[in-house]
Amino acid sequence: MIHSLFVINNTGDVFMEKHWKSVVNKSICDYFFEAQSKASNPEDVPPVISTPHHYLINIYRGSLFFVAVVTTEVSPLFVVEFLHRICETFEDYFSECTESTLKENYVIVYELLDEMLDNGFPLAVESNVLKELIRPPNFLRTITDTVTGKSSGVSATLPTGQLSNIPWRRTGVKYTNNEAYFDVIEEIDAIIDKSGSTVIAEIQGYIDCLIKLSGMPDLTLSFVNPRLLDDVSFHPCVRFKRWESEKILSFVPPDGHFRMMSYHIGSNNTVAIPIYLRHNIYYKEGSGGRFDVTVGPKQTSGKTIENVVLEVPFPKTVLNVTLTATQGKNSFDPVSKLMTWDVGKIDPGKLPNIKGNITLQTGVPIPEANPTITVMFTINTFAVSGLKVNRLDMYGEEFTNTWKYKPFKGVKYITRAGKFQVRT
């Protein structure tokens, strides 16, 4: 399926390549560079690029492009999902997936790629299985490998879960403190027009888990209002038939961190917008312009909006902006013409405001349109869709024997901005 993988940085250097079936010359990346040159930003590069003899399927993560080369018809989403799984595995092993991190851990990176793909087809992609095969790096083993010249990170035994019907969980797991945490994370993608009306609003949701339970637990998670969920995708551990019939998540979880499900709530449903902007931006011929923006909470059920950041890309004809904020810090980059206002936390009793003058270049016409403001924010203990976990039940021999344990269970809700734009 996948012949080769190229990892490309922002400057266009192919600093890593891996081949499985046959060696594909990296000159194939010229087709990718051609498509990249036509894109206004990295996220706009087409995910599938057709060439005379190959298809290039790529993703952009952590300021890096991961480009897979395939020669036959294959589901593009399958390859895209696998590339994301590679990035997530690197993040799990090295805490981040950056050029410098990958270069520092070349040996482990190539060992992981050898195990994750066999003759071009995905083989071991679960973190639990991989960590039994290839140990994550640590300081002591790095010194030992450097001194001896040998790699001590590869296990000589096959992972216990590899031959079972539950390959995502290893056997014999034991914890002193048993815990199960669930994070319900929702990101709002919205466009708000000049009058404050919603043009489009959608929610991308995820349920991320941290499971530290002994033995082989069998869990069920139910929701108060599961009918809200649309366009769902699950981790392989979830029993899909049970979800289809009862709208209950039934699963034997992997050990540690994993994403149990993701969902999408489309514009067919009414999405509550938790933040609003009052703005007055205008330009005057020959005298610059005026900028005045106030930000406030809206439909947050009394929850505090935190980590608020506004980004305003001004036109190239703007020479400078002189702004005064009642709260937070603001900066203006004269090269990119980007004004950033780090508001922080919003106090409903005293709404943050920023205002000041815009200086235009002399002898140029005033800009035809006002800038579109990008808003970032976070609201803790709040799910904007109204989704709520009803209960979590645990089954299995660990919970029925005389030595059964009582694990600690926790659910956390987080709402944050995805691509949230306000037109002015």
Side-chain angles (χ1 to χ4, degrees):
M1 185 183 75
I2 298 177
H3 273 245
S4 303
L5 173 70
F6 297 97
V7 185
I8 305 170
N9 61 18
N10 265 341
T11 58
D13 296 327
V14 182
F15 70 90
M16 199 185 91
E17 56 185 276
K18 170 68 177 169
H19 307 279
W20 285 277
K21 288 190 172 184
S22 57
V23 177
V24 178
N25 194 292
K26 67 180 179 182
S27 61
I28 192 73
C29 293
D30 291 343
Y31 292 99
F32 171 79
F33 294 135
E34 183 183 347
Q36 184 188 14
S37 65
K38 296 175 182 176
S40 56
N41 57 64
E43 288 83 2
D44 292 337
V45 176
V48 181
I49 300 167
S50 178
T51 75
H53 303 289
H54 305 86
Y55 294 100
L56 306 182
I57 301 176
N58 68 89
I59 65 168
Y60 180 72
R61 277 184 65 159
S63 300
L64 299 175
F65 288 100
F66 291 79
V67 183
V69 181
V70 298
T71 57
T72 56
E73 285 287 342
V74 65
S75 170
L77 286 177
F78 189 75
V79 180
V80 167
E81 177 64 26
F82 179 73
L83 292 176
H84 279 294
R85 189 64 66 92
I86 288 176
C87 296
E88 288 159 8
T89 301
F90 291 161
E91 288 170 357
D92 193 23
Y93 265 74
F94 315 126
S95 299
E96 59 181 1
C97 181
T98 61
E99 181 181 358
S100 59
T101 306
L102 297 184
K103 285 181 176 178
E104 287 170 10
N105 298 278
Y106 261 143
V107 173
I108 295 177
V109 166
Y110 279 99
E111 288 172 348
L112 285 170
L113 291 175
D114 273 330
E115 296 296 339
M116 294 182 77
L117 219 64
D118 180 42
N119 197 34
F121 291 87
L123 179 64
V125 293
E126 286 296 332
S127 182
N128 292 310
V129 173
L130 289 168
K131 283 182 178 177
E132 285 193 70
L133 281 167
I134 300 160
R135 300 182 190 94
N138 61 47
F139 182 70
L140 184 61
R141 197 169 67 249
T142 302
I143 294 176
T144 306
D145 292 351
T146 305
V147 172
T148 61
K150 298 178 181 178
S151 176
S152 60
V154 180
S155 172
T157 58
L158 196 66
T160 53
Q162 188 77 339
L163 301 177
S164 74
N165 60 348
I166 307 177
W168 53 83
R169 187 174 180 86
R170 58 193 174 93
T171 58
V173 180
K174 287 187 179 180
Y175 286 102
T176 306
N177 297 317
N178 291 276
E179 305 163 321
Y181 299 105
F182 298 85
D183 290 351
V184 180
I185 303 168
E186 295 188 340
E187 297 182 349
I188 305 176
D189 296 335
I191 296 176
I192 311 299
D193 69 11
K194 191 172 182 178
S195 62
S197 302
T198 303
V199 177
I200 188 171
E202 299 179 337
I203 296 172
Q204 307 291 339
Y206 317 95
I207 298 182
D208 289 340
C209 309
L210 173 59
I211 307 293
K212 294 184 177 181
L213 297 175
S214 303
M216 194 69 70
D218 199 326
L219 313 184
T220 60
L221 186 72
S222 60
F223 300 97
V224 174
N225 41 6
R227 301 291 171 186
L228 283 172
L229 301 177
D230 186 23
D231 193 16
V232 293
S233 63
F234 299 107
H235 187 278
C237 70
V238 176
R239 299 179 179 100
F240 187 61
K241 284 188 176 179
R242 183 89 185 268
W243 170 260
E244 277 192 315
S245 59
E246 304 175 44
K247 296 298 179 185
I248 289 175
L249 295 176
S250 174
F251 57 100
V252 176
D255 181 42
H257 288 276
F258 71 101
R259 175 158 291 174
M260 183 169 62
M261 70 176 288
S262 59
Y263 57 90
H264 172 259
I265 298 176
S267 52
N268 298 333
N269 300 287
T270 304
V271 176
I273 303 298
I275 194 169
Y276 73 89
L277 265 63
R278 285 202 308 264
H279 47 80
N280 182 22
I281 305 171
Y282 59 89
Y283 303 101
K284 285 185 178 180
E285 192 77 49
S287 62
R290 188 71 180 163
F291 184 90
D292 188 344
V293 173
T294 302
V295 57
K298 174 185 175 185
Q299 295 176 300
T300 62
S301 300
K303 306 297 183 183
T304 304
I305 305 179
E306 301 175 305
N307 305 323
V308 179
V309 177
L310 271 63
E311 291 184 348
V312 185
F314 282 98
K316 297 299 181 185
T317 54
V318 171
L319 193 63
N320 193 19
V321 291
T322 308
L323 303 174
T324 304
T326 60
Q327 177 181 324
K329 298 178 180 178
N330 65 283
S331 61
F332 178 73
D333 185 346
V335 177
S336 64
K337 309 297 182 183
L338 182 70
M339 192 281 290
T340 304
W341 180 26
D342 188 347
V343 182
K345 188 185 295 185
I346 294 180
D347 179 8
K350 188 181 179 183
L351 298 181
N353 171 267
I354 185 169
K355 58 185 176 181
N357 297 317
I358 302 170
T359 306
L360 296 173
Q361 296 176 14
T362 54
V364 297
I366 63 172
E368 294 179 357
N370 286 341
T372 298
I373 302 175
T374 300
V375 186
M376 290 164 276
F377 58 84
T378 304
I379 309 173
N380 290 313
T381 69
F382 177 68
V384 70
S385 67
L387 183 70
K388 191 174 183 182
V389 172
N390 183 29
R391 60 182 294 170
L392 173 69
D393 295 312
M394 302 191 179
Y395 305 95
E397 60 178 16
E398 294 80 11
F399 305 98
T400 55
N401 291 345
T402 54
W403 56 274
K404 70 177 182 178
Y405 57 82
K406 291 186 177 180
F408 180 81
K409 300 177 283 188
V411 179
K412 183 170 68 175
Y413 300 92
I414 302 172
T415 294
R416 60 191 183 202
K419 292 183 178 178
F420 196 100
Q421 296 182 333
V422 180
R423 295 171 178 170
T424 62

